[in-house]
Amino acid sequence: MKKILLSALVLFALSQAASAAASPKPYVGIGYQLNALNINDDSINGIVLKGDKFLEDQLSNINVFAGLDFGNNLSAELGFFRKSGDKTNNSTGLAWIDNNNALTTKSDSTLQIINLDGIYSSPVASTFKLLAIASISQINYKYDINFLDNGATRASVSIKDNGFGYGLGIGFEAKLIENLSARVTAKYVKTASIDAFDDMLIYNFGLKYGF
């Protein structure tokens, strides 16, 4: 039900925006995005394996976005983010059965997000706006885990985890000069069909240029 409501909210914002103005104004932007993933835990023989020890749970990189400002404080925006990261775990608490050597891991993960946001901006001063965001995303998450014995790989697993995300966020935007503004946003995203993590927080610090 939450997914349906969030999707409906985005679609409603876009439909309202489309009827709000005959000539929407395009804009583009670039930002620095941090994704904090809430990696799920697992267990083997009663031993809890903390997911954030096996997989990198904070992936940050440059993101790009483009949108249309429809007037009436409504806009629609498409964004893209991609980042790879790795993590080494030297304390799994497990050992290889045949030689009792410590079982350690090294992982490589890649996160890609394509998001469509409906944004409502509320001016609070001549150069300052508060933002409310409803978002739907396509999420592609791939990770490889190597199981090591004294640094050598004895086994490995490769997983492709693809799904969607539905989120809400807030932010603010400040005009710097004509057509150029800076903004900060934060979104909570609940995932669907992603096994590695159920939700995440996305923080973005960006510059936006309007035409």
Side-chain angles (χ1 to χ4, degrees):
M1 179 61 71
K2 291 181 180 178
K3 301 171 188 176
I4 295 174
L5 290 175
L6 285 170
S7 299
L9 181 59
V10 174
L11 293 174
F12 174 76
L14 297 181
S15 65
Q16 288 295 104
S19 61
S23 56
K25 298 178 180 179
Y27 64 86
V28 296
I30 188 169
Y32 184 77
Q33 181 169 312
L34 169 64
N35 303 279
L37 313 180
N38 185 18
I39 302 292
N40 292 326
D41 298 335
D42 204 346
S43 62
I44 297 178
N45 296 329
I47 300 176
V48 176
L49 307 176
K50 301 295 291 181
D52 57 2
K53 289 186 177 182
F54 287 85
L55 298 174
E56 180 56 57
D57 62 340
Q58 295 194 14
L59 294 165
S60 58
N61 200 9
I62 299 297
N63 80 301
V64 293
F65 56 90
L68 292 173
D69 185 343
F70 294 96
N72 288 353
N73 302 323
L74 292 171
S75 60
E77 181 176 302
L78 190 66
F80 178 82
F81 171 92
R82 183 180 174 88
K83 176 64 177 179
S84 297
D86 59 78
K87 179 165 253 185
T88 299
N89 181 12
N90 294 316
S91 57
T92 64
L94 302 174
W96 294 100
I97 295 176
D98 58 344
N99 58 16
N100 208 37
N101 288 342
L103 189 160
T104 60
T105 65
K106 184 179 186 302
S107 67
D108 297 287
S109 54
T110 300
L111 174 68
Q112 178 178 294
I113 302 172
I114 300 174
N115 61 276
L116 175 63
D117 293 352
I119 303 174
Y120 177 80
S121 58
S122 177
V124 294
S126 59
T127 60
F128 189 83
K129 299 177 182 179
L130 294 178
L131 308 176
I133 306 167
S135 178
I136 55 177
S137 307
Q138 180 188 28
I139 302 171
N140 301 112
Y141 186 63
K142 178 182 180 297
Y143 60 94
D144 302 295
I145 300 180
N146 294 306
F147 302 94
L148 310 178
D149 182 350
N150 286 328
T153 300
R154 288 189 56 172
S156 63
V157 61
S158 181
I159 303 293
K160 290 183 178 180
D161 216 358
N162 302 321
F164 297 90
Y166 306 83
L168 294 173
I170 57 174
F172 65 85
E173 180 175 314
K175 181 178 178 180
L176 301 177
I177 57 175
E178 190 66 26
N179 296 336
L180 182 66
S181 59
R183 72 180 191 183
V184 177
T185 63
K187 290 191 294 186
Y188 171 79
V189 175
K190 181 70 175 177
T191 63
S193 302
I194 300 288
D195 293 328
F197 54 95
D198 295 328
D199 52 26
M200 61 179 170
L201 291 172
I202 300 177
Y203 305 96
N204 192 276
F205 309 87
L207 292 173
K208 169 184 164 185
Y209 180 82
F211 296 95

